[in-house]
Amino acid sequence: MDMNEIISRAKAYIAAEKDENFRKEVEELIEAPDKNAAELEDRFYRNLEFGTGGLRGVIGGGTNRMNTYVINNATQGLANYIKKALPEKAAAGKLSAVIAYDSRRYSDLFAEATALIFAANGFKTYLFTGLRPTPELSFAIRTLGCDTGVVVTASHNPPQYNGYKAYWGDGAQVIEPHDVGIINEVNSVSEVKTINKDEAIKEGKLILIDKEIDEKYWAMVKEQLFRPELIKEKAKEVKIVYTPLHGTGAMHVEKVLSDLGLKVITVPEQREPDGTFHTVEKPNPEEAPALKMAVELAKKEKADVVMATDPDADRFGSAVPGKDGDYVLISGNQMGVLLTDYILLSRKELGKMPAGPAMIRSIVTSPMVDNIAKDYGVMLSECLTGFKWIANDMASFEKSGKNNYVFGFEESYGYNVETAVRDKDGVSASAMCAEMTLYWRSKGKSLLERLEELYMKYGYFKDLSISKNFPGSAGIDKMKGIMASLREKGLKTLGGKTVLKIRDVQESVTYDPAAPDKKTAISLPKSNVLQFFLEGGTVVSARPSGTEPKIKFYINSKVAISKTLDEAKKEADILCDAINKEINSILEA
């Protein structure tokens, strides 16, 4: 896109943007277009599009930024699409929507603007009076029987980001063909309808909600637990340090865990909502620096477990004391393995295993759980990355009637233990983790000791992810080139291990790289993902991010334990290091 077209797009944006701050940013940039060419190109070379998490981008002026113009157009496009998708309800004036938001900058303003646009388009619109977690938004859609919902959040991204997750009437994030259909409607919006807030409330078009949904949500989370009597009996034996990382989680996690009788010590510096997330570089419980203050407090309090939720409380992270007394962070895959093990053994012990039990994991999540599921006679379903695909499989189970959902998770710290929410839920994960900690404590074991038992039974699995950013339009071309090169050349070895099978999700095939002409079709939806299955059980996956300008490589290594766990860990380290070097050379080429 040449600079004349960029300037033209910038001027059109200035004319349409109603927020003075965002408008002024762009006006200042085009006063010196040569000096600001790169910045202008990055802000206007494209429109933000729905990816794996809806809209997400840096806050600021421009079509490739998060601002009122982008929010307004997205909402009007979404409203237009729903009216076309549900014409009978639209004609009867029975469409409805619910809106939630987190602690990020502009979240409250973006949420209110979204709600008023829905209200002006004839939707009965519900808006939470304050910050609420993403899983509660999904729960509210299903509880209120709404046709759609939106939560304004950028999840665990750095503070300069915000986002917009769009949900369908089943409480799950939109997937194809709805996502593509919505974008088409957004791109063709010519007029954005809105209404005054006071007028909308007076006319019953906007309804403010809070405790009537909160109380039902809390009750639902507690209903998922298996051993409430154990918690009552042993609650005083466990001390929990928790951090909401300046987000929405404190209200719910503190309430649920304290109702169960558990002692929760919240990191005071990180308890209050704050869109600058001033105590952390990134409010991401996947990363050790985000849990630093919680771990320090846990050491002081001699806590049994550290818990963390990200700003919209859909992700859940944890750490526990190791043998040397220092705290060990539990990875997303490890927590998923522990919860799978606990949920399945509890259902079996208590006679609560349903007919045709099934669980779901994403294709880049550790295959270790496959073996656990098999031992319990539980069907394991693989899906694309993003919890909307787990929700899609969940809905498929219900439609077919052949399987009953028992658990779903993905390696990026997302877990779901219930069907009342169709997204990952850090609140219910925290409650289940607390109960699981008490259960193994009653058996004289820590979570790490139980994890080691599972490794001894199923083999040692080590997981590693590698990411490299490719910003701007040139970065997108670079990422496309890397994926095209991998497809064209294939990989016959990685880390000294033979590649036995390649799964190309974009092309919907699997094949042996030694015989690339013999391909087998797969049924997964198309996605730009390549997976390499190595001898011994290790899987390496390559996937461009759906929400950020980066390529991710996931290494799920497996080492059989022939002697000791320590020896297996050393072997896994060597294998991961070798694969890591080869991948970095690919990214840097």
Side-chain angles (χ1 to χ4, degrees), residues 181-236:
I182 292 165
I183 283 296
N184 290 337
E185 289 292 338
V186 170
N187 290 338
S188 61
V189 167
S190 58
E191 178 189 5
V192 176
K193 299 178 182 178
T194 190
I195 187 173
N196 174 272
K197 184 179 180 180
D198 291 338
E199 181 183 344
I201 292 173
K202 183 178 180 180
E203 295 180 4
K205 295 177 179 178
L206 179 63
I207 300 168
L208 302 181
I209 54 172
D210 41 45
K211 65 179 181 180
E212 62 268 42
I213 302 298
D214 295 335
E215 291 171 354
K216 291 178 181 178
Y217 177 71
W218 297 332
M220 180 277 298
V221 170
K222 288 181 281 191
E223 285 169 3
Q224 308 310 311
L225 299 173
F226 296 103
R227 298 178 173 86
E229 72 288 344
L230 175 67
I231 297 177
K232 288 179 182 178
E233 180 187 342
K234 300 282 187 179
K236 301 303 180 185

Side-chain angles (χ1 to χ4, degrees), residues 505-538:
V505 184
Q506 183 68 49
E507 299 299 324
S508 301
V509 296
T510 63
Y511 62 92
D512 182 341
D517 294 332
K518 297 180 180 179
K519 293 182 169 66
T520 302
I522 60 173
S523 60
L524 287 167
K526 289 182 181 294
S527 182
N528 193 9
V529 181
L530 280 168
Q531 293 189 286
F532 306 91
F533 296 79
L534 315 185
E535 59 178 319
T538 293

Side-chain angles (χ1 to χ4, degrees), residues 31-87:
E31 286 176 1
D34 294 336
K35 177 183 176 182
N36 300 314
E39 180 69 13
L40 281 165
E41 181 182 16
D42 187 53
R43 287 176 183 245
F44 289 100
Y45 78 91
R46 66 167 188 166
N47 293 332
L48 274 182
E49 295 183 357
F50 280 77
T52 56
L55 285 168
R56 190 176 301 177
V58 174
I59 301 167
T63 59
N64 188 34
R65 292 288 188 270
M66 284 296 298
N67 49 59
T68 47
Y69 169 81
V70 170
I71 289 288
N72 291 351
N73 277 275
T75 305
Q76 185 63 56
L78 176 57
N80 290 345
Y81 181 81
I82 292 170
K83 285 190 282 188
K84 289 179 179 179
L86 303 171

